[in-house]
Amino acid sequence: GAVVSQHPSRVICKSGTSVKIECRSLDFQATTMFWYRQFPKKSLMLMATSNEGSKATYEQGVEKDKFLINHASLTLSTLTVTSAHPEDSSFYICSASGGGPSIYEQYFGPGTRLTVT
Amino acid sequence: GESVGLHLPTLSVQEGDNSIINCAYSNSASDYFIWYKQESGKGPQFIIDIRSNMDKRQGQRVTVLLNKTVKHLSLQIAATQPGDSAVYFCAEGTYNQAGTALIFGKGTTLSVSS
């Protein structure tokens, strides 16, 4: 149990376009989902925390108008990178917590590789 | 700000050896600590966790040690195998209802040669 999926796994887009990444908890309801960003050979950096039905809380330095997060249901959160630029190219990882075997444990998705050309 | 960090960015061992990966943390208020394994192009995979009121916890081939006096966490992998090659991250968290974000350390790349 406690499986989290992400879609797409890889995406290439042109500069100036927007990209949506989905994060789903497949077998449990997640009250909270987290979005992380990871650069090559670097650690995971928290971007934002989202609770179902409320606005996301963004970490300092993360532009909320650029990285739109929607957590419309207990099993789905989306991250939309608006007007993407090459510097937005990164590995984006989501995690979900609140309804799995342990309510405190975070269950991570497989990540989405975004490349902006 | 407070963060979790790792002592060594890389560790190379021979197959069959025991591996020890270290992590120093600074937030004495953290309630639990987790070790994750991340293979290239994949999300973090849970290995083992330990609560702040414990000093040792064992799993299958892995042991986590917590020294709160010096704020040090370690992951010991017994009889390391080539499949253990990956980046290992420590992370710390606090109990605050459900859904408190984790703070990740910088990662140690473990390379196992056969």
Side-chain angles (χ1 to χ4, degrees):
Chain A
V3 178
V4 176
S5 70
Q6 283 184 238
H7 178 80
S9 58
R10 291 175 177 267
V11 58
I12 300 172
C13 70
K14 292 185 177 180
S15 186
T17 61
S18 296
V19 175
K20 179 184 287 186
I21 302 171
E22 293 185 347
C23 176
R24 292 181 185 272
S25 55
L26 299 184
D27 51 3
F28 69 101
Q29 293 184 327
T31 53
T32 305
M33 287 186 171
F34 304 89
W35 286 95
Y36 295 84
R37 183 175 182 177
Q38 186 178 32
F39 290 106
K41 300 189 183 299
K42 297 294 185 181
S43 187
L44 281 73
M45 297 295 294
L46 179 67
M47 299 175 66
T49 302
S50 75
N51 292 294
E52 184 267 338
S54 61
K55 291 185 177 180
T57 301
Y58 290 80
E59 294 299 299
Q60 190 173 10
V62 178
E63 300 176 60
K64 62 180 181 180
D65 294 331
K66 181 168 185 62
F67 298 99
L68 301 178
I69 293 173
N70 183 276
H71 192 165
S73 75
L74 286 171
T75 60
L76 173 64
S77 176
T78 60
L79 167 67
T80 301
V81 183
T82 62
S83 187
H85 291 284
E87 57 265 30
D88 299 324
S89 298
S90 190
F91 194 50
Y92 291 88
I93 306 172
C94 72
S95 69
S97 72
S102 166
I103 64 169
Y104 297 110
E105 186 171 339
Q106 290 188 31
Y107 303 94
F108 284 85
T112 296
R113 174 75 60 192
L114 170 63
T115 303
V116 185
T117 61
Chain B
E2 294 178 304
S3 63
V4 179
L6 284 163
H7 292 297
L8 293 175
T10 61
L11 176 65
S12 296
V13 301
Q14 291 284 326
E15 181 178 3
D17 287 350
N18 295 330
S19 302
I20 299 177
I21 301 172
N22 296 305
C23 172
Y25 66 94
S26 58
N27 185 1
S28 58
S30 292
D31 296 310
Y32 60 96
F33 304 87
I34 307 174
W35 280 101
Y36 288 95
K37 173 185 180 182
Q38 187 180 28
E39 297 175 315
S40 181
K42 297 184 179 180
Q45 175 187 353
F46 175 91
I47 301 174
I48 191 169
D49 62 357
I50 186 168
R51 297 188 181 191
S52 61
N53 61 354
M54 303 169 66
D55 53 22
K56 180 179 180 179
R57 190 166 185 223
Q58 289 183 292
Q60 187 176 10
R61 279 203 308 121
V62 295
T63 301
V64 56
L65 299 178
L66 175 64
N67 185 331
K68 292 183 291 294
T69 302
V70 295
K71 297 180 184 174
H72 184 266
L73 187 72
S74 70
L75 176 69
Q76 300 178 4
I77 304 174
T80 313
Q81 302 167 1
D84 294 327
S85 295
V87 181
Y88 289 81
F89 293 97
C90 64
E92 58 179 323
T94 56
Y95 296 131
N96 180 13
Q97 300 181 348
T100 299
L102 297 171
I103 300 174
F104 280 80
K106 295 181 180 179
T108 291
T109 299
L110 175 65
S111 298
V112 183
S113 54
S114 52

